[in-house]
Amino acid sequence: MLAHDLVLTNALGEERWLGRAGTHGAARLVRLVDATSREPLGVEVRDENGEVRALLPWSFWFAGPQGSDGWAALVAALGVPFSDEKYQQSRAAQPWWRGHALAGDARKMSPMEGKAARKQIGWYSSVVGANEPMVLPFFSALLLVGLMSDEVPMFLAGLLSALTIVLSLGPAMVSALVSRISYDRTLEAA
């Protein structure tokens, strides 16, 4: 929470900035509750025109032992009115936000599986694609035959090629293993 902005951060570290004042600023919080069970489902951040600017799933943002403290802290920090509204979800909809106008927002503001997180935050995904760490070693492998040569320049080319393969594949493999170990843990194991 900043002086003039509300900053929401999702599981990937992406930030969603909402003003705290102005026409499109956070003017009201609405807690959506299940019409039958009265259990909280999510929180809508609305502007002064009543338009929904963000949708936060209750179970991931405010549930658990300290959840009520988090909700109270948000309400106190924003200093805007809040209310409860009954939300009628379709019976077959899983998760509950599937029919909501900001369903994509709720999905982004929820934790995701390790494989999906790795796919979205991989450093190589933005340049060439998932196969980028393999391009340089593939072309360097052509010079590995130089390791068996008696000529010094050919041997050096083969040695540098082997070094290139190790130095380019090594960090990529370590990164993949570390991310699988850290991202694929369940919340209970974390």
Side-chain angles (χ1 to χ4, degrees):
M1 185 85 54
L2 300 173
H4 302 288
D5 297 300
L6 169 64
V7 182
L8 305 171
T9 307
N10 68 11
L12 298 175
E14 298 170 335
E15 294 178 346
R16 180 89 176 281
W17 288 62
L18 301 170
R20 293 183 62 188
T23 307
H24 301 295
R28 188 170 153 226
L29 293 173
V30 176
R31 183 169 46 184
L32 302 175
V33 295
D34 189 291
T36 55
S37 69
R38 304 286 296 160
E39 291 291 320
L41 298 172
V43 174
E44 291 179 342
V45 180
R46 295 185 183 176
D47 63 15
E48 60 186 42
N49 296 327
E51 294 290 323
V52 181
R53 295 293 168 198
L55 177 63
L56 307 174
W58 186 271
S59 60
F60 302 123
W61 283 74
F62 305 108
Q66 288 88 22
S68 59
D69 296 339
W71 170 245
L74 177 66
V75 170
L78 275 178
V80 297
F82 69 93
S83 62
D84 288 350
E85 283 186 14
K86 291 181 181 177
Y87 183 76
Q88 188 66 40
Q89 58 183 352
S90 65
R91 294 180 189 186
Q94 279 302 45
W96 65 268
W97 61 73
R98 189 170 305 270
H100 196 280
L102 289 181
D105 198 27
R107 188 175 55 251
K108 285 187 94 170
M109 292 296 180
S110 302
M112 60 180 55
E113 295 177 5
K115 185 176 182 180
R118 279 193 306 277
K119 187 174 183 179
Q120 290 192 20
I121 64 168
W123 61 271
Y124 50 80
S125 63
S126 63
V127 182
V128 174
N131 296 324
E132 183 181 353
M134 297 301 295
V135 173
L136 187 59
F138 176 76
F139 289 110
S140 294
L142 299 174
L143 297 174
L144 284 176
V145 295
L147 287 174
M148 295 179 272
S149 174
D150 291 337
E151 297 177 24
V152 173
M154 285 291 290
F155 180 78
L156 285 176
L159 187 63
L160 290 175
S161 175
L163 187 62
T164 300
I165 291 171
V166 169
L167 291 178
S168 60
L169 281 182
M173 289 173 45
V174 168
S175 174
L177 289 174
V178 167
S179 70
R180 277 174 175 69
I181 292 169
S182 63
Y183 289 145
D184 288 350
R185 292 186 301 169
T186 60
L187 292 176
E188 293 82 26

